[in-house]
Amino acid sequence: MLDAVLERLTRLHPKVIDLSLERVLALLDKLGHPQTRLAPVVHVAGTNGKGSTVAFLRAFCEAAGLRVHVYTSPHLVRFAERIRVDGRIIDDAALSALLEEIEGVNDGAPVTFFEITTAAAFLAFSRSPADLVILETGLGGRLDATNVVERPVLSVLTPIAMDHQAFLGGRIEAVAAEKAGIMKRGVACVVADQERKVDKVLEARSLELGVPLLKEGKDFFVRATPDGGVLYRGREVEWLLPAPALTGAFQMRNAALALAAVERLSRGERPPVLPEILPAALAGGMRAVEWPARLQRLTCGPLAAALPEGWELYLDGGHNPHAAEALARHARSWRDKPLLGIFAILSNKDVDGYMAAMATRFHALRTVAIPGEAASLSAEAAADCARRHFCLEARPAADVAAALADLAASHPGPARVLICGSLYLAGAVLQDNG
């Protein structure tokens, strides 16, 4: 039933991406403006780290016993992953009913798939009480369908870099301006450390709207402790916490953005939006946080079982040069075993930029096409690009399973295998691996 209604709704607009607020506002008007009946909203935009930051904030709040609704995109395996109601992924039957309700109200008017999904999330969230709603933008910010919430309690901007240039502009300043479009007059914004050109755009926008900026490296700080923990220091607090459950040094910074949001919501607003979240709950959230396909170690399933004893298998969905740079920095810490790779990417992504950062990290690389994706770069083209960037032992493979078998047969172990380059590839791997 869910697949059928989703298929019908995808035919309502000829373009997959068509940035505008007019259509979604018209649809929400017909639905009775559910976006105005939500619990306090935190709105998150940026290029990389959005999903992980959302996952940390959700984990901290839920560890403190708070009820949280969350909207993220894209999904990896099941479409319903995009909408969490009070901590749980929405039931397929409930989502089908919401979409059919929206389909009837919309009455065939042009609307994009993401706009319909966003309306469904707003409708679900408006009908269930919560302490907090966390919204992740789909693309950009200013014209993203989530940006119809007129008065969030907080905005969050993760690191901003070049991505989706066809829709957001070919210069970093243009991309930053689109992301800064989620800022609302007088509403505080937590901001990750940004490159200088981005910082200037965000500063100008904040001055125009009277937005208090809470900036990483100025208003809050994070660092690793000698015993492997995390020290967060904000304006009013200092928290010593365990290392996050998510792998990668960059996840400490994503955790810091979420901790800064917690500090602002529970201590920096008058009256506070959230009750005080105690360090014990924050520590519990650090240990419990989950966000699949972000340097995720796969320890079970047929793909992991196919590797020889002592080998490790990781999965990462980062797909732009900025994500690749963060991945490459972490890969430098993997000195105990050689790093072997399996790579695929969409043809509209900056594959040269990705490979410029990651290619030389791999001792060997196998490239594949993304299963079921017509827009995938071919395995042959991906291998050619890797070789241009000095990963000389790069060659195409028929699929992920064949690539794993080839790497295991060709290299003495133990080794570490990283499957990377695309969230679409990551979703297919998670589905095939059970």
Side-chain angles (χ1 to χ4, degrees), residues 22 59 233 294 331 336 348 361 376 390 400 402 426:
E22 294 176 4
R233 182 178 291 117
R294 277 71 176 181
D336 57 324
N348 64 350
R361 297 290 104 200
S376 173
F390 307 106
V400 170

Side-chain angles (χ1 to χ4, degrees), residues 278-327:
L278 298 176
L282 298 174
M286 289 288 260
R287 296 189 186 98
V289 64
E290 294 180 331
W291 195 232
R294 277 71 176 181
L295 209 51
Q296 176 187 3
R297 185 173 178 185
L298 304 180
T299 57
C300 57
L303 292 177
L307 288 174
E309 186 177 351
W311 288 52
E312 296 178 8
L313 181 61
Y314 286 81
L315 178 66
D316 187 78
H319 52 259
N320 56 46
H322 189 266
E325 289 164 6
L327 193 57

Side-chain angles (χ1 to χ4, degrees), residues 45-50 139-140 157-166 168-180 192-199 202 319-326 329 349-350:
T47 302
N48 290 306
K50 297 192 301 292
L139 193 157
L157 288 171
T158 69
I160 295 170
M162 294 301 295
D163 200 15
H164 300 293
Q165 290 95 312
L168 303 182
R171 297 170 62 242
I172 190 63
E173 293 90 343
V175 175
E178 290 297 318
K179 307 283 186 183
D193 186 38
Q194 307 285 353
E195 67 169 271
R196 193 170 185 178
K197 290 180 180 178
V198 171
D199 198 48
L202 302 186
H319 52 259
N320 56 46
H322 189 266
E325 289 164 6
R329 283 193 295 272
K349 298 298 181 182
D350 183 0

Side-chain angles (χ1 to χ4, degrees), residues 4 10 21 25 35 95 104 113 129 179 195 245 254 281 311 324 343 359 374 394:
T10 58
L21 295 182
L25 283 170
Q35 78 277 17
L95 180 55
F113 190 68
K179 307 283 186 183
E195 67 169 271
N254 294 328
W311 288 52
F343 175 81

